Amino acid sequence: MNHRQPSRATLLSVGFASVVVFLLAWEAACRTGVIDPLFLPPPSAVGERIVAMLSDGTLLSNVLASTRRVMTGFIAATIVAIPLGIVLGTSSYARAAFDPILSFLRPLPSMSWIPLSLLWFGISETQKYSIVFMGTFAPALVYVIEATRNVDPLLVRAAKNLGASNWQVMREVILPASLPQILSGMKIILGLSWTCVISAELVAAREGLGFLIMNGKEFFQTEVVVLGMVMISVTVLVTDIVFRAIERKVLRWQA
């Protein structure tokens, strides 16, 4: 029996319809009193707040503040983690020397760095960048090490047998072979960066989506809290789409 796979347009329609049904059910539950709007506002209230904050520019400024912090900390972490991870992944001695330090850093959540970072940098942009860096560096390093170690050793030996130097093996064999897995790991790390920056903004910030959520909570503006949550998801989705586009361009030889 031949089962035809649904088209992409059909799947998108089903997904869109499910979102509409969910929002209508949510709105109805709030309007009929099943859900107290004080604790969970209806989508219409959130939409009105979005329009108001877009009009006065506060929504965009908060989104840009969080995005700037995420990208700065994320790029700094990857600049350090990728070359260091490649070295640790290809050198047993370097890995043995660094592994105890990595084993100490890896379990620490970003929140654990907030007290120290406040003492070091105060309530500044550097403090937010440092939280993202500290929360993502160790996981990024682990991804790069594993990606490098997963390169087929037969490829490395074949290149050396053909007379390639260590630098040529690194550039022509190890880096291209490990790059797809490295980029997949960095995509996950980018999502983790948002968790880190929201943690930092909830504690000490004057702008950003985390600040927006905390400020809404303080003034019992639950529609602002939900708005902040929605904008985090939307912003992460947009950055993920951009990252995927970059990944396709970098790995166009895989197509």
Side-chain angles (χ1 to χ4, degrees):
M1 187 174 181
N2 187 22
H3 296 282
R4 290 185 60 188
Q5 292 293 327
S7 65
R8 181 174 176 80
T10 301
L11 295 175
L12 288 174
S13 299
V14 171
F16 178 77
S18 68
V19 171
V20 172
V21 170
F22 172 75
L23 292 176
L24 290 175
W26 177 3
E27 183 79 25
C30 293
R31 296 291 181 183
T32 56
V34 175
I35 299 176
D36 189 341
L38 178 64
F39 299 104
L40 185 64
S44 57
V46 178
E48 290 172 3
R49 179 66 69 167
I50 290 175
V51 172
M53 295 186 72
L54 281 174
S55 300
D56 61 22
T58 55
L59 182 58
L60 183 59
S61 66
N62 283 295
V63 170
L64 292 177
S66 293
T67 303
R68 182 184 67 249
R69 292 162 181 162
V70 164
M71 296 311 299
T72 302
F74 170 76
I75 291 172
T78 54
I79 286 175
V80 178
I82 291 177
L84 180 59
I86 292 174
V87 171
L88 295 178
T90 54
S91 172
S92 300
Y93 289 106
R95 190 163 61 251
F98 199 83
D99 194 56
I101 301 172
L102 183 58
S103 298
F104 171 77
L105 293 175
R106 185 170 54 181
L108 294 176
S110 59
M111 289 288 288
S112 67
W113 290 101
I114 290 178
L116 278 178
S117 67
L118 287 171
L119 288 173
W120 294 341
F121 306 113
I123 305 176
S124 64
E125 286 301 293
T126 304
Q127 187 262 343
K128 312 301 183 298
Y129 302 151
S130 69
I131 290 298
V132 178
F133 179 89
M134 294 168 182
T136 57
F137 169 70
L141 186 59
V142 171
Y143 273 112
V144 178
I145 292 172
E146 290 303 313
T148 306
R149 294 184 66 187
N150 287 337
V151 174
D152 190 345
L154 291 176
L155 296 176
V156 176
R157 286 199 294 269
K160 288 184 176 180
N161 289 337
L162 291 172
S165 64
N166 289 335
W167 169 245
Q168 288 174 322
V169 170
M170 181 75 71
R171 187 185 62 190
E172 303 294 340
V173 178
I174 294 177
L175 187 57
S178 61
L179 193 57
Q181 190 173 345
I182 289 175
L183 289 178
S184 296
M186 293 308 102
K187 197 158 43 182
I188 297 172
I189 297 301
L190 182 57
L192 179 61
S193 300
W194 278 96
T195 303
C196 297
V197 81
I198 297 302
S199 299
E201 291 174 348
L202 286 172
V203 175
R206 296 187 182 92
E207 62 177 346
L209 293 175
F211 166 79
L212 191 68
I213 291 172
M214 184 56 68
N215 200 50
K217 188 271 288 186
E218 293 294 332
F219 292 97
F220 296 98
Q221 297 174 329
T222 49
E223 71 277 7
V224 175
V225 175
V226 175
L227 168 59
M229 295 167 65
V230 169
M231 291 311 302
I232 291 170
S233 294
V234 170
T235 310
V236 171
L237 179 61
V238 171
T239 53
D240 187 63
I241 291 172
V242 173
F243 194 97
R244 287 175 185 273
I246 295 172
E247 184 181 26
R248 284 195 299 269
K249 191 164 187 65
V250 172
L251 300 178
R252 59 185 181 274
W253 47 270
Q254 276 196 328

